[in-house]
Amino acid sequence: MATTKKVSAIKNTPKHLLGIQNLSVLEAKEILTEAKSFIKLNRGSSKKLDVLRGKTQINLFFEPSTRTQSSFDLAGKRLGADVMTMNMGNSALKKGETLIDTAMTLNAMHPDIIVIRHQDSGAPNLLSQKVNCTVINAGDGRREHPTQALLDALTIINRKGNIEGLKIAICGDILHSRVARSNIYLMNMLGAEVNVIAPKTLMPKGIDYLGVKSFTDMKKGLDGCDIVMMLRLQNERMQGSFLPSKREYYEFFGLTPEKLKFAKKDALLMHPGPMNRGVEIDTKLADDINVSLVKEQVELGVAVRMACLKLYCK
Amino acid sequence: MKEKILTNVRIIDPSQKMDEIGNIVIDEKGKIKSIGKKLGTSKSVEKIDLKGLVAIPGLVDMKAFVGEPGFEYKENFRTLSQAALAGGVTSIVTMPNTKPVIDNVSMVDFIIRRGRDKAKVNLFPCASITRQREGNQMTEFGLLKARGIIGFSDVNKTIQNSELMSRIMNYASDIDVLIMQHAEDYELAKNSCINQGEVATRLGLQGVSDIAEKIIIERDLSLLSEFPCRYHINQISSKNSLNVIKKNKSNGIKFSTGVSINNLSLNQNDIGEFRTFLKLSPPLRSEEDRLSLIEGIKNDLINVIVSDHIPEDEESKRLPFAQAATGSIGIETLLSLSLELYHNESLPLEKIIKCLTINPAKILKIDKGSLKEGSDADICIFDLEKPWVVKAEELKSKSKNTAIENRRLQGKVKMTLLQGEVAYSN
């Protein structure tokens, strides 16, 4: 497998990380290998490196975020970069400034990396066409969230050794989920079989073309699965009524210890957070350290983001 | 003006079922004096030899937006007519979604005067169906028609209220006005910016199902059977809609339909990675839909091809896809892009020209789109084979948002005559 010291797949390709769709297998594996090396560092007492010393990283967040934002923040700092986080909220839009104008303003300050989260699908792509620095997508609309998928992959590899040959179920609000899309691409790329499970109203049309099997029944969808990824009901993206009630949703699609039994005995549970306890997941199950990888996902998130920053920053 | 004769030209005029090499004689008043093989020469005649070229009636574009008033920075009468003439279009139906909206008599007087002063093409203005295009109250059809309004359209808005739609049809039937509907159910299309399906799912964009279009067409055609009026569906985009149209036409319901050249030549995959110039309404749909639209033209289920010319400045397009403005320019490339359908053997040449000339003229009840003796000598002369590449900066529109940048086309306008005068040549 390629490492940065040998031949880097990433250094020879475009410098932005916009989505898993644009990634090759080599590139994905390179990020994961690099990330592995940071896990130990992050657990140690001295966490600071100087790989990105002198570099400027701007976190441009147009949507509220806790874990992704702090994760990128820490990752940059641990690599020695100067990190500035800007919570744009709607302030820029209210003043009438367009994304491009904001980008050009920031570009004039010569950042080396811009990490962007935006409510519109494709916003990082647009940004990447207009700035001179590296753009890393921290989630755009319902399109992609590449670092989340990469950290999920690292978490699985950390526990199961490998992704190839595993069966992975992604359950919940697939329609509005960028996490689902990025994971579908990445898990497929790494050789897993992917099932998606959702009520019909939350299942996007044409999802089968992405290389998954779709189910509306948890029992069938979870059958034989090694990993169960639960997704949050994205109420803030829902316009109009998609479901009769949260109660009914929990009854049929909420993950309970009973439903988890449909999957393999040693199946593990993942969730990108934040969780709606009692809506998509049983609260005890979420905290069960024998089953739930939720905390590990957050932990490894920092390592994955360090790897991305290091590999993509020029 | 001297009498003119165009010689050795291949004349294709579907209104006379004519496709032959011959001559066109234009009299001093700019009318067609004679057409065909016979050559009525006199000495004072100005002769233009057009060997190897094709002459057709000047195109009638049933849907174009001119920025005036209110959006002069996107397009104006002068730039629109330059673009039109360069594309062989001599008659344009202009849309009323200006600022202010063309929904009252004084606005009509303004644009007719303004168009007459600034534009070098025949303009046929539309007024809105409802005041402010809000879908609540119908405009003064009778008065507006008397002042020169050719038809009524809320452009990219749809009359959602079925009761109002039935009254519009009922009222319109009595005074013989043309109602042009944009078919889209608002609730089904809410927040959408692309066709529903694989591409929308990959791009993470809100898609709209073709049912949003079909449901309005079905409703309107049901109402139409009760209140027959001159009813036209501006732009059809899907196979599903065509099935409804087919069924209703075979039941004897009378109406006409159009399609945008974009929907005939592009599909949703062309959007690629968020190319906002291909954000259109109705959206580009699947290849299956595109092919069905071509079949629709073959079977006369679709009567008109329009450019759906919507100039937008760069600022309104250089945004994330969902926020970007909808529409692309196309009046200048309308003919060339249509000819692609001939060169790739999708459609016969005569059919394409019919949909660009006599068919829209008949629907609009205007004396255009034909080279019959006595009609205005509005003529488009083009080289059927000439290859060229579309370059946005070379197009004449004020806005450069073409959906077909860098497309290699075959067939280009050589000369455009307006009432016998050479209004464009290259």
Side-chain angles (χ1 to χ4, degrees), chain B residues 400-417:
Chain B
K400 307 295 180 192
N401 55 315
T402 171
I404 51 165
E405 170 82 341
N406 292 328
R407 194 156 172 130
R408 288 156 200 278
L409 297 177
Q410 196 179 348
K412 198 169 196 309
V413 174
K414 192 89 188 146
M415 190 187 285
T416 306
L417 273 69

Side-chain angles (χ1 to χ4, degrees), chain B residues 54-99:
Chain B
V54 182
I56 60 172
L59 270 50
V60 181
D61 187 356
M62 259 182 92
K63 191 164 184 271
F65 178 70
V66 52
E68 292 190 56
F71 302 98
E72 290 83 358
Y73 58 98
K74 294 179 181 175
E75 192 85 280
N76 60 39
F77 281 112
R78 189 178 53 82
T79 52
L80 179 71
S81 58
Q82 282 170 349
L85 291 170
V89 178
T90 52
S91 298
I92 310 174
V93 176
T94 59
M95 292 296 115
N97 52 333
T98 46
K99 203 158 80 184

Side-chain angles (χ1 to χ4, degrees), chain A residues 268-285:
Chain A
L268 295 171
L269 159 69
M270 300 175 80
H271 195 301
M275 283 187 277
N276 296 319
R277 289 166 188 267
V279 179
E280 71 255 357
I281 193 160
D282 175 79
T283 185
K284 277 187 194 144
L285 198 55

Side-chain angles (χ1 to χ4, degrees), chain A residues 21-22 98-100 118 120-123 125-126 130 142-143 181 185 204-206 209-210 239, chain B residues 190-191 196-198 200-207 273-274 314-315 318-323:
Chain A
Q21 282 179 95
N22 316 81
T98 65
L99 172 64
I100 294 302
H118 200 280
D120 283 316
S121 303
N125 306 55
L126 183 64
K130 306 291 173 188
R142 47 173 91 167
R143 192 182 74 103
R181 284 170 177 76
Y185 303 131
K205 201 178 167 188
Y209 290 108
L210 270 52
Q239 276 148 346
Chain B
K190 208 183 210 169
N191 299 314
Q196 195 177 64
E198 187 198 345
T201 298
R202 274 187 193 281
L203 295 178
L205 296 170
Q206 174 79 36
E273 227 175 56
F274 303 102
E314 206 181 326
E315 294 315 309
R318 225 173 50 166
L319 292 168
F321 201 87
Q323 289 176 33

Side-chain angles (χ1 to χ4, degrees), chain B residues 104-106 108-109 112 125 141-150:
Chain B
N104 62 71
V105 171
S106 62
V108 178
D109 291 345
I112 287 180
F141 294 166
L143 292 175
L144 289 162
K145 185 189 174 192
R147 291 296 181 106
I149 286 294
I150 189 89

Side-chain angles (χ1 to χ4, degrees), chain A residues 155-176:
Chain A
T155 310
I156 296 170
I157 291 169
N158 218 24
R159 278 297 185 102
K160 298 272 182 188
N162 207 342
I163 287 182
E164 203 167 335
L166 294 185
K167 201 167 167 186
I168 297 170
I170 306 176
C171 326
D173 186 355
I174 310 285
L175 180 67
H176 297 102

Side-chain angles (χ1 to χ4, degrees), chain A residues 280-297:
Chain A
E280 71 255 357
I281 193 160
D282 175 79
T283 185
K284 277 187 194 144
L285 198 55
D287 298 330
D288 183 349
I289 49 164
N290 296 315
V291 183
S292 168
L293 297 180
V294 174
K295 289 200 184 93
E296 222 165 304
Q297 285 174 276

